């Protein structure tokens, strides 16, 4: 892999992690407990090959903070879901 491609992938991954860390952190501060995941249709939660597909799922704020992306060049984003409250 050319150095330029490696540098680009690393930069994109770092910026995606930083962006996706901010959204769950701010949601947590606002009392939101769940996030909706926006990701590529075939992208898994913990890796691209993970059978647990991420897009369209609801995850806890803690889960979102743990897995801000699943692979280099990941397009994952989160949306706070204040309307979703856990069942008791």
């Amino acid at each position: 892999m050319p150095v330029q491609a490696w540098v680009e992938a690393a930069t994109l991954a770092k910026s995606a992690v930083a962006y996706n860390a901010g959204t769950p952190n701010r949601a947590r501060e606002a009392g939101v407990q769940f996030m909706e995941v926006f990701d590529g249709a075939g992208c898994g939660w913990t890796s691209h090959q993970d059978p647990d597909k991420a897009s369209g799922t609801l995850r806890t704020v803690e889960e979102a903070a743990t897995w801000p992306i699943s692979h280099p060049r990941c397009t994952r984003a989160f949306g706070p879901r204040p309307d979703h409250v856990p069942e008791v």
Side-chain angles (χ1 to χ4, degrees):
M1 174 184 286
V3 172
Q4 181 64 28
W6 183 88
V7 169
E8 182 180 322
T11 301
L12 290 172
K14 289 287 187 183
S15 64
V17 168
Y19 177 83
N20 283 345
T23 305
N25 286 340
R26 181 62 190 113
R28 185 183 297 114
E29 290 172 1
V32 176
Q33 297 178 37
F34 288 90
M35 308 295 289
E36 184 169 355
V37 183
F38 306 101
D39 208 341
C43 191
W45 180 243
T46 62
S47 70
H48 200 68
Q49 292 78 22
D50 187 343
D52 179 8
K53 300 305 177 197
S55 193
T57 63
L58 293 180
R59 306 289 173 145
T60 67
V61 170
E62 290 75 24
E63 289 173 310
T66 302
W67 290 101
I69 64 173
S70 69
H71 58 86
R73 298 183 186 272
C74 189
T75 62
R76 180 171 295 167
F78 297 108
R81 289 293 303 268
D83 59 315
H84 187 75
V85 287
E87 296 179 18
V88 283

